[in-house]
Amino acid sequence: MGTNYAPTMKTNFKVEIDKVDYGNFSSVSGLGASAEVTDDIGGMDRNARKIPGKVKYNTVTLTRMADPKDGLLRDWWKSVERGTPERKAVSVVFFDRNGVDEIARRNLFECVPCGWDLSDLNSQESGAISESISLVYEDADWG
């Protein structure tokens, strides 16, 4: 018996930082992870068994349109520049195709910024300024 497979749209998400909904993020990248793999050559088997070990999380980048009056990301980055990095919890929340019903969330724990960026400024071009923050984190789960 098959399941009711329904892919989620790339636009149906929001970002929460310390349980506060910041619905103005335009993109999230780097939500992947990998595990170190070692060979177990013990026992009577001819072939080595592959054993997954420590998990390594990718650097996650959150991007949003910048508002010079809103210092959320700048202040978080400033804590790193000042030598007192603030650790926060970040959740990426996924919504059903209707854009309303939450279907899953990726919770990132003990997040700390490792980079902050502002888009280039150019008086010859139009468009909004964007800012992004790159995060490393110690643990994650699916909620």
Side-chain angles (χ1 to χ4, degrees):
M1 185 183 292
T3 61
N4 186 9
Y5 182 76
T8 300
M9 303 306 291
K10 293 172 105 176
T11 56
N12 291 0
F13 73 93
K14 72 176 179 180
V15 175
E16 295 177 356
I17 300 174
D18 281 345
K19 299 184 180 179
V20 177
D21 176 2
Y22 292 96
N24 58 350
F25 283 92
S26 57
S27 71
V28 176
S29 63
L31 280 175
S34 60
E36 296 175 0
V37 177
T38 57
D39 287 338
D40 178 6
I41 54 174
M44 301 298 291
D45 294 334
R46 262 191 47 209
N47 300 328
R49 302 285 183 212
K50 302 295 182 186
I51 309 293
K54 290 184 179 181
V55 173
K56 179 181 177 185
Y57 297 108
N58 296 344
T59 299
V60 169
T61 301
L62 309 175
T63 302
R64 70 179 189 165
M65 296 301 109
D67 178 352
K69 298 176 294 230
D70 182 349
L72 170 75
L73 298 185
R74 289 192 319 266
D75 290 346
W76 196 9
W77 172 248
K78 196 183 303 180
S79 75
V80 174
E81 290 180 324
R82 301 292 180 257
T84 55
E86 292 179 35
R87 294 185 177 273
K88 298 179 182 275
V90 172
S91 293
V92 179
V93 181
F94 300 86
F95 295 104
D96 200 348
R97 286 180 167 262
N98 63 19
V100 176
D101 298 325
E102 179 178 328
I103 56 173
R105 60 175 55 220
R106 183 68 168 158
N107 300 308
L108 315 178
F109 303 107
E110 298 294 321
C111 300
V112 65
C114 64
W116 176 82
D117 196 22
L118 191 68
S119 62
D120 293 341
L121 306 176
N122 186 334
S123 63
Q124 305 287 320
E125 295 178 1
S126 62
I129 299 169
S130 66
E131 69 176 328
S132 61
I133 195 161
S134 297
L135 309 171
V136 291
Y137 54 101
E138 295 181 6
D139 197 10
D141 72 10
W142 285 97

